[in-house]
Every structure is written in structure tokens, then in C-alpha cells.
Amino acid sequence: MADIINLLPDNIANQIAAGEVIQRPASAVKELLENAVDAGATEIHLIIKDAGKELVQVIDNGGGMSETDARMCFERHATSKIQTIEDLFSIRTMGFRGEALASIAAVAQVELKTRKRGADIGTYIEIDNSSVRTQEPCQTAEGTSIAMKNLFFNVPARRNFLKSNAAEMRHIVDEFIRVAMAYPQLQFTLTSNNQQLFHLDKGSLKQRIIAILGQHYNARLVNVKESTDYMNVYGFVGKPETAKKTRGDQFFFVNNRFIKSHYLHHAVMNAFADIIPADSFPLYVLFIDVNPEHVDINVHPTKQEIKFDDEKVMYAFVQAAVKHALAQFSVTPTLDFDLDPSIQQLDAVSKPFTEQQKTESTHSPLYKSFTQAHQAHVIDRSNSNLKNWKDLYDKPAAPQTESYAMSAYSDADDDDTEQETRTAVTYQSAQPASTASAIDERWQDSTNAQKVPVQVHQQYILSQIKSGFILIDQHAAHERILYERYQRALQEAPVATQQSLFPQTLQLPPADAAIVSEMLPDLQALGYDLEPFGNHTFVVRGTPADIQTGNDQATIEGLLEQFKNFSQDLKVNRREHLIRSMARNNAIPCGKVLSAREMQNIIDELFACTMPNVAPGGKFTFISFKLTDLARMFERNQ
């Protein structure tokens, strides 16, 4: 009987391994940048074309490689970092397993130019689908230049799974920022389609944070630094006013390696628990230095997930370090007390206070009212017509009566304010049943509508129907209404835009800026008037006319957070993500007091929807209760 088990050819084995290591262009960016750092480079240049699908190139001035090393580096598990099993538990370099270049060469066309320091000539290697096509001497600068072209050219199915250029570019920027943030002492540049996106000069960690995340953080960073024999924690956290509705400005590094740790993130959130809103995320860039023996970084192909031998100690130390920093330094908004030069030239500042001016000021009635005992209440009536002001308090206010409360409805017209309507409804709820019934009848007579709906705990709307009553979730119902409105806007007429009197400048993290750029046409159809302003900044000139204006930055940050959450949970297209995110973000929140008219509008619009019973996410919008059910619950004879 013939044997059926065979060894896989190298190119197929490498492609299988590449499936875990190289998932998208950003994966190759991460591996190539880390290799450049390990090579001792001080200047690293990343060049991207077509969001990495056409070209990912990294040029560094590091140590370079010999001719033999240049060829060996593309073999699987060929590495200079590991010699013995003990080395695996004392790793301080970025790469060590020797899988990255072999995986890249298995799914792309690779060109390598490298020259070792002090060598007269370099080496050029061209690899296609794990096969060496060319290897020859060449003239090149000291260091290494490696170009990955046409990613997944030999695996069309995987290429089809790549996202849009904007989405892939966002992941590339994320990886670039993580490496650049960890090594502020190195110079980094990022060029995409011949346009330079980042030029980060060498400097301190604070300078690197400001260069990446924005100049507005300059006076809003709190230094964190705690040291023990077991571990060190250092870095910066943002003051409470820098907290945003969106994630993206959170960075953890262990031994200069970026990691993702929900456990440590929770520790920082606990430190900020009492000083920022529950739905906000603080900025932090924190580095943990710990003996490699206490860390296992070999638990995931991308090395972004690691394990600590004692997570509780890490959690407690990180939380304590952040709390101590916030307590030690001012966490209140910074005020600038430097006077403008033009103000300093004014007479009130530059000239002395003369004796005559002092005499005039001390004899003024205002001065006496604050300096003489028991005179703070004195009012100068010489130039006022307030002689009868005490009459306002001499007569007690007439008590409210039932007729007064009823007249609030009978005399009201369609232009009543929300507060007047809410006062009448609140007063009605405090009356005996007979009074409430009379008010209800008066409301029906004046509006020719159904009975006034009632809000329950500022979360639900109770409305009577013929067979009983329904209980509506105000947030879920409004989410359904907005969702269908936005659907129509994308398919038919765009949503009207309310132009801002004073346009706001919106500063976003680079990754979020890439999302907004990708969604710009759809956002404009949904009523947002946004215009790119360069350097990850947008000008907000208008917002949808049907949402409350005010803090446009908080509104768009909330939309981005919802969009990112939906993108992880739902397998739907980008437009569907966007309108679901907008509907949830702009829906009336629980806890908001609604007028009777607002509640009735929600009821009318909800039952005009094509699918009124569920919100876009699948939650019920209302539950109905029948009279027969109530009679059974109260054991009444039907």
C-alpha cells in the first residue's frame, strides 16, 4: 500500500505560514520596520504605494548584511537572535523567529539591496514566490532597502479579501505610529503615493507624542514615572480634558514592544474612573520595563499579545503609577497667565496708582458697600427706580389651582415651549385621578389627538391603544426612525445640512482621520459638511439639520466610536456600518426628559417605519400589554 503522507514543498509551507504572519500590507510594514530597528538604524523611511498593495518599501541606514546573510534571511526560521533555548526567555529585540521575510517572500515579489558597514559593495536579491530569481553584487548605500511588490499576486483569493485603500492605509498608519512611538530617538518618515504623511525627527518621548498626535497636547500631558526592583513604568497620560469618545490614543509598550492588553487598559481606566465620563477614553503612552523572564512574547504570531507571569502585580502597579501621577501633577485645565504686550502698555498696568485716584475710589459707594461692616446689602437708590422693589415680596404668591393648571392647556397654542408643556404634564401627574382625567380631556379637545403619552423614568414612553397600552424604549425607537431616515438619504434625497455660524476645526488621530476621509462622500449625503484641512484635521462647516448642534467634535467622535464597534461586530458593507452608527449615536439617550409633543412625534414616526418593532441592532422598540392580560394579573372578572 502506497504511503500517503508527504512533506509540503517549501513555497506552499511558506504560504501557509504567511497566512498567520502577513495578513495585510500593514503586517509587512510592522515586520520590516522592526527589522530596521533591530539592525541599529537611526533613520528609517517607509514608502507606500496603492495602500501597500503595489509597494511597501523600507529603507534604513542600519548595519546591513553580508552576501550570505542577505540570502539566508529569506529562509524559514533563519535568525541571528536565537542560539539556545535559554535565549528564547531573554529576548529584547523586536524580531526573533525568522518567519517574517520568508512569509513576505512567499506571497509577494521582493527586491533587497543591502551593504554592510565598511563593505565596498552590496548585494542585490530578487525573489518571486519564494524562488530566488536574481542574486548579484550592486552599488548601494550602507544599510538595507527592501521592497515588497504586488502583495498576494500569487494568491488571488486572499487579495480579494483586502479592504479599500483607505481602510488598509489606516492599518499601515497604525503600525507605523506604534513603532515610531516606541523609538523617539530614531528618525522616521512615511510617504504614500509620493506624498509625505509623516516626518518625525529624533527627540524626546513627549516631542514624539506631540508630533504624532498633535500640538494641542503640548500642555496637556502628565508625566508618569515609577520604579521598583521588579518593574519600571514611565510615559505620559493626558489630562482629563483630553479624554475622547473614541479609542485610538492608547499605547502600551513592554520592553519597547507595542502590546494590546485589555487587562492593563482596565487598570488605567480605573485610575481615571472618577475624573472623566464613563464613556470616554484617556490618552496614555506608557512603557513597562520588566525582566524578559517575567514575560512570554511567543504566544502569538504577531507578538502583540503577550503573557505576564504575574498579571495582578502588573495591574496594581500600572494603576498606582497613573493615580500617583494624576495626584502629583495638576489635572485641571491649564490657564495662560502671560499678558499680551499691548495690555501691558495700558495706563492701568504701566502707570502708578496715585493718591488722588486712591481717595476717589475709597469714597465711592461701591467701595464702601464691600469694606464697611454690614454694608454689603446696601443698594444705592439715588439713580434707580426700584423704590417699590420690596412690594414683590410683601404679597405671598397665589397658590396654583386646578383651573390654572388646566388653563395651561386650554390657552396654549402650537407654539408653546417645551418647558411649558412639560410643566403641565408634570402637574397633571401629581393631581387626583379626576383632575388628571379632566386635563387629559382638555388636551384631547385642544389638539384633536390621542391621550397624552407618559414618560417612565426618562427611558420609556407609555401610550394607550384600543386593546391596552404599549411601552416604548425611547432610544431604540428613535434609533429605528433615524436609521430609516438615513437609508432614504443615501438612496434618494440627501439630508439637509445646518451650516455652522462658526466652523469648528476637528483634530483626529491619524487612524480616525483615515476613516473620515474614506466616509466623506457618505457623510456629506447624510448632512455633514466636512472639509479636509491637512495634517489629520477637518473643518466642520455644517451638521445634519435634525440633530442638536453644539459640540460637533464630540458628536463626530461618538460617531467614529460607534462605527469602529459596528465594524468589528457586523458583516455588512461600509454604508450600512455608517448609517447604523449614526442612528445609534444620534438617537435620543435614556435619561432625557421629553415633552408630550416630542413623545407623540416619536410614536407617530415609529409606526410609519417599514419595520417599527425592532431597532437596527435587533432590540425590541416596544412591548404591548393587552387589557385582558392586565385583568388576569389583577384577578378581575373579564
Side-chain angles (χ1 to χ4, degrees):
M1 186 174 181
D3 298 330
I4 59 174
I5 296 178
N6 301 303
L7 286 174
L8 286 173
D10 287 344
N11 62 328
I12 297 178
N14 287 340
Q15 282 189 15
I16 293 173
E20 289 187 343
V21 180
I22 308 299
Q23 301 171 356
R24 56 186 352 134
S27 306
V29 168
K30 172 184 179 295
E31 300 293 348
L32 296 180
L33 288 177
E34 289 179 349
N35 282 348
V37 170
D38 284 343
T42 59
E43 297 179 4
I44 301 174
H45 306 279
L46 172 62
I47 301 170
I48 301 295
K49 287 187 179 178
D50 194 23
K53 300 172 185 176
E54 180 182 338
L55 173 69
V56 172
Q57 184 175 11
V58 172
I59 304 172
D60 68 67
N61 65 344
M65 291 182 283
S66 66
E67 180 180 359
T68 302
D69 288 344
R71 176 65 187 84
M72 282 294 295
C73 71
F74 291 101
E75 298 294 332
R76 286 191 70 194
H77 306 306
T79 177
S80 61
K81 318 293 175 57
I82 302 293
Q83 303 295 331
T84 65
I85 190 65
E86 287 76 17
D87 294 339
L88 193 61
F89 302 101
S90 59
I91 293 170
R92 288 194 176 272
T93 55
M94 302 296 285
F96 58 91
R97 287 192 295 231
E99 293 178 309
L101 293 181
S103 298
I104 291 172
V107 292
Q109 298 166 329
V110 179
E111 291 183 2
L112 171 70
K113 292 181 180 179
T114 183
R115 179 159 71 97
K116 201 171 181 65
R117 284 177 186 162
D120 296 329
I121 199 166
T123 303
Y124 172 78
I125 294 180
E126 182 181 348
I127 295 181
D128 189 338
N129 193 17
S130 296
S131 299
V132 178
R133 303 297 184 191
T134 305
Q135 180 172 349
E136 59 188 18
C138 73
Q139 186 60 49
T140 185
E142 287 185 353
T144 301
S145 169
I146 183 166
M148 181 192 75
K149 301 180 179 179
N150 303 321
L151 180 64
F152 298 139
F153 78 99
N154 54 348
V155 196
R158 292 192 62 192
R159 190 175 179 89
N160 292 337
F161 277 93
L162 294 178
K163 306 297 183 185
S164 65
N165 280 7
E168 295 297 341
M169 195 63 206
R170 175 166 58 90
H171 289 288
I172 289 173
V173 169
D174 279 342
E175 297 294 351
F176 174 83
I177 287 174
R178 290 164 183 171
V179 177
M181 194 80 80
Y183 295 92
Q185 71 275 18
L186 308 183
Q187 177 184 304
F188 289 86
T189 62
L190 169 57
T191 303
S192 175
N193 296 330
N194 300 319
Q195 179 182 1
Q196 189 172 87
L197 301 184
F198 287 94
H199 181 89
L200 305 175
D201 289 319
K202 306 172 186 177
S204 65
L205 175 59
K206 184 175 182 180
Q207 290 172 331
R208 180 58 53 90
I209 293 172
I210 293 169
I212 291 175
L213 300 182
Q215 188 66 33
H216 59 287
Y217 285 116
N218 190 20
R220 300 179 178 181
L221 296 176
V222 176
N223 188 34
V224 178
K225 189 170 185 180
E226 298 287 345
S227 299
T228 67
D229 294 337
Y230 184 78
M231 61 183 289
N232 300 326
V233 175
Y234 64 93
F236 291 90
V237 296
K239 292 184 178 181
E241 66 264 26
T242 64
K244 295 182 178 180
K245 299 288 185 182
T246 60
R247 298 177 178 89
D249 293 344
Q250 294 79 38
F251 300 88
F252 261 120
F253 300 89
V254 174
N255 295 342
N256 273 35
R257 182 190 303 278
F258 174 81
I259 67 161
K260 295 178 180 178
S261 174
H262 298 293
Y263 194 67
L264 295 181
H265 173 75
H266 190 269
V268 177
M269 293 298 291
N270 264 352
F272 276 89
D274 298 328
I275 55 178
I276 64 172
D279 58 347
S280 298
F281 301 93
L283 173 149
Y284 60 79
V285 181
L286 295 176
F287 290 76
I288 299 174
D289 280 347
V290 62
N291 192 320
E293 295 178 357
H294 301 304
V295 182
D296 185 1
I297 59 176
N298 195 30
V299 297
H300 193 273
T302 64
K303 301 185 287 290
Q304 288 187 359
E305 296 178 14
I306 67 176
K307 284 189 178 297
F308 299 103
D309 61 357
D310 194 338
E311 290 187 330
K312 291 182 179 179
V313 171
M314 294 288 178
Y315 184 100
F317 196 78
V318 168
Q319 182 180 358
V322 174
K323 275 192 172 183
H324 183 246
L326 293 175
Q328 185 177 0
F329 296 92
S330 172
V331 296
T332 55
T334 303
L335 299 178
D336 188 0
F337 289 100
D338 293 336
L339 286 178
D340 188 279
S342 60
I343 296 176
Q344 292 178 330
Q345 301 303 319
L346 296 177
D347 290 349
V349 178
S350 61
K351 292 185 178 180
F353 193 50
T354 65
E355 288 297 326
Q356 180 182 354
Q357 291 173 326
K358 182 178 180 180
T359 303
E360 291 174 354
S361 63
T362 55
H363 285 79
S364 69
L366 180 62
Y367 179 86
K368 291 178 180 178
S369 68
F370 282 95
T371 56
Q372 298 178 13
H374 311 298
Q375 293 296 307
H377 64 281
V378 172
I379 296 177
D380 184 6
R381 299 187 181 87
S382 57
N383 296 320
S384 68
N385 54 1
L386 295 175
K387 292 193 295 181
N388 300 322
W389 67 275
K390 286 188 177 181
D391 293 344
L392 297 172
Y393 300 95
D394 291 341
K395 298 177 183 180
Q400 289 185 340
T401 63
E402 175 183 329
S403 60
Y404 173 78
M406 292 165 60
S407 67
Y409 286 114
S410 59
D411 296 337
D413 56 18
D414 290 338
D415 294 327
D416 286 342
T417 64
E418 176 183 335
Q419 184 61 37
E420 292 170 338
T421 308
R422 187 184 304 143
T423 302
V425 174
T426 306
Y427 185 71
Q428 171 193 350
S429 65
Q431 302 303 312
S434 59
T435 304
S437 177
I439 294 175
D440 190 34
E441 290 174 5
R442 190 69 63 91
W443 171 267
Q444 288 185 351
D445 292 340
S446 62
T447 62
N448 193 24
Q450 292 182 346
K451 292 186 177 180
V452 181
V454 177
Q455 192 176 24
V456 181
H457 290 289
Q458 290 82 49
Q459 297 187 55
Y460 306 100
I461 301 171
L462 190 149
S463 179
Q464 181 174 314
I465 57 177
K466 288 183 179 180
S467 61
F469 67 90
I470 57 174
L471 196 61
I472 300 171
D473 183 327
Q474 67 186 42
H475 177 80
H478 198 219
E479 189 179 342
R480 164 54 63 178
I481 294 166
L482 292 178
Y483 172 77
E484 296 203 3
R485 186 182 301 169
Y486 296 147
Q487 265 192 330
R488 291 192 297 271
L490 290 178
Q491 296 168 0
E492 302 167 8
V495 172
T497 300
Q498 179 172 329
Q499 296 296 327
S500 302
L501 185 61
F502 301 103
Q504 292 189 17
T505 301
L506 183 65
Q507 180 86 27
L508 295 174
D512 287 347
I515 295 177
V516 173
S517 298
E518 180 185 6
M519 299 189 304
L520 213 50
D522 292 335
L523 284 171
Q524 290 167 348
L526 292 169
Y528 284 98
D529 186 358
L530 293 176
E531 181 181 332
F533 201 57
N535 196 25
H536 321 304
T537 304
F538 296 83
V539 176
V540 185
R541 302 190 183 278
T543 54
D546 58 351
I547 69 170
Q548 184 177 359
T549 58
N551 193 342
D552 297 336
Q553 174 150 352
T555 301
I556 294 176
E557 286 177 355
L559 168 62
L560 284 169
E561 185 62 20
Q562 291 291 346
F563 182 83
K564 288 188 283 190
N565 287 341
F566 275 127
S567 297
Q568 295 171 359
D569 299 338
L570 301 174
K571 303 299 182 183
V572 294
N573 60 42
R574 190 189 71 235
R575 279 194 165 190
E576 182 72 7
H577 287 322
L578 178 59
I579 60 176
R580 290 191 183 199
S581 304
M582 278 193 64
R584 176 170 291 186
N585 187 63
N586 296 333
I588 294 172
C590 294
K592 181 178 180 182
V593 179
L594 302 177
S595 68
R597 186 173 300 155
E598 288 174 325
M599 289 188 281
Q600 192 61 53
N601 286 341
I602 288 177
I603 295 170
D604 295 341
E605 291 188 51
L606 175 64
F607 288 99
C609 292
T610 57
M611 192 180 295
N613 58 321
V614 291
K619 293 173 59 178
F620 287 114
T621 57
F622 68 89
I623 300 175
S624 60
F625 297 83
K626 295 183 179 179
L627 286 174
T628 53
D629 297 332
L630 294 177
R632 190 180 307 110
M633 291 169 63
F634 286 99
E635 300 179 355
R636 303 184 64 149
N637 295 327
Q638 301 183 18

